[in-house]
Amino acid sequence: MNALELFRSHRQEVARLWTEAVYSTYPFETTGFLRTQEDPFGNPVAHMTKAAAAAVYDAVAGEDVDMKTVKGALERFVKLRAVQQYLPSQGLGVFYLMKPILRQRLLPLCAAQGELEAYLEAESRLDSLTLLAFDIYVAARETLAESRIKEIRNQHAQLARWAQKLENGPSDPPGSSGTEGR
């Protein structure tokens, strides 16, 4: 059995274990929901995590995958992590959670088959995907920051308009002399 066949035979197991490792980064009260709610609209976090797990694993394994598909799955997953309240290391550190799983499940098998070089290439592909995820994460955080700055500017402009109206005082209705009631 060559390295690609070994990776194919462990695809579901490794993707499932990595998905569980990603879920464990969420607060305890959230993980049960992530594991049990299957509806992609009701539970987009789980849906995007599973899609990313499959795409990342196939790319790491050396499958002939379309990079647009992999990048699309990565973008959805990483953008989700970028808007959540994580430090960058926590948001992207999940990619490094796959290495111990690969080392435990596939490294011994690849070494026994004389496919150690193929295994090391797979780890290199994971590192490359992590760097791609980092680029996506930074771009998403920049977009988020720009959006927040724009929102603050809009709020400031609105407050300035209200302050100017208050400063100028209420305008008298047409036809009134402003001396009525004296």
Side-chain angles (χ1 to χ4, degrees), residues 67-101:
M67 271 314 288
K68 279 186 173 184
T69 303
V70 175
K71 189 174 181 184
L74 271 179
E75 280 183 340
R76 287 185 296 278
F77 177 71
V78 170
K79 285 179 179 180
L80 173 72
R81 302 284 291 184
V83 299
Q84 295 172 330
Q85 298 300 316
Y86 288 113
L87 295 172
S89 60
Q90 294 169 319
L92 293 174
V94 295
F95 289 96
Y96 292 109
L97 297 175
M98 188 178 281
K99 277 191 179 186
I101 297 167

Side-chain angles (χ1 to χ4, degrees), residues 22-179:
V22 172
Y23 291 167
S24 72
T25 66
Y26 288 95
F28 178 73
E29 40 302 329
T30 306
T31 57
F33 176 77
L34 292 174
R35 289 181 176 104
T36 58
Q37 180 58 260
E38 294 294 324
D39 179 29
F41 296 104
N43 189 358
V45 173
H47 179 71
M48 288 180 207
T49 303
K50 289 175 184 176
V56 167
Y57 186 79
D58 287 346
V60 166
E63 292 285 353
D64 186 23
V65 294
D66 178 29
M67 271 314 288
K68 279 186 173 184
T69 303
V70 175
K71 189 174 181 184
L74 271 179
E75 280 183 340
R76 287 185 296 278
F77 177 71
V78 170
K79 285 179 179 180
L80 173 72
R81 302 284 291 184
V83 299
Q84 295 172 330
Q85 298 300 316
Y86 288 113
L87 295 172
S89 60
Q90 294 169 319
L92 293 174
V94 295
F95 289 96
Y96 292 109
L97 297 175
M98 188 178 281
K99 277 191 179 186
I101 297 167
L102 292 174
R103 288 176 182 167
Q104 181 185 23
R105 303 285 190 225
L106 290 161
L107 178 58
L109 299 173
C110 287
Q113 295 288 327
E115 295 282 351
L116 190 56
E117 187 175 327
Y119 174 82
L120 294 174
E121 287 173 8
E123 277 201 7
S124 288
R125 285 190 291 271
L126 178 59
D127 291 338
S128 296
L129 288 171
T130 303
L131 290 173
L132 175 61
F134 181 76
D135 290 341
I136 295 167
Y137 184 89
V138 169
R141 290 296 287 253
E142 286 175 358
T143 301
L144 185 60
E146 289 168 5
S147 175
R148 288 179 179 161
I149 291 168
K150 184 177 179 180
E151 182 181 340
I152 290 169
R153 284 184 182 153
N154 289 340
Q155 289 173 350
H156 180 267
Q158 182 67 34
L159 287 173
R161 284 191 294 274
W162 287 340
Q164 189 161 10
K165 282 183 181 180
L166 290 175
E167 194 174 273
N168 293 338
S171 58
D172 291 330
S176 77
S177 60
T179 58

Side-chain angles (χ1 to χ4, degrees), residues 2-31:
N2 68 25
L4 185 56
E5 291 168 345
L6 285 171
F7 274 89
R8 283 179 182 155
S9 68
H10 287 80
R11 181 182 191 268
Q12 287 188 335
E13 176 189 16
V14 172
R16 180 187 57 79
L17 289 170
W18 184 71
T19 300
E20 288 294 322
V22 172
Y23 291 167
S24 72
T25 66
Y26 288 95
F28 178 73
E29 40 302 329
T30 306
T31 57

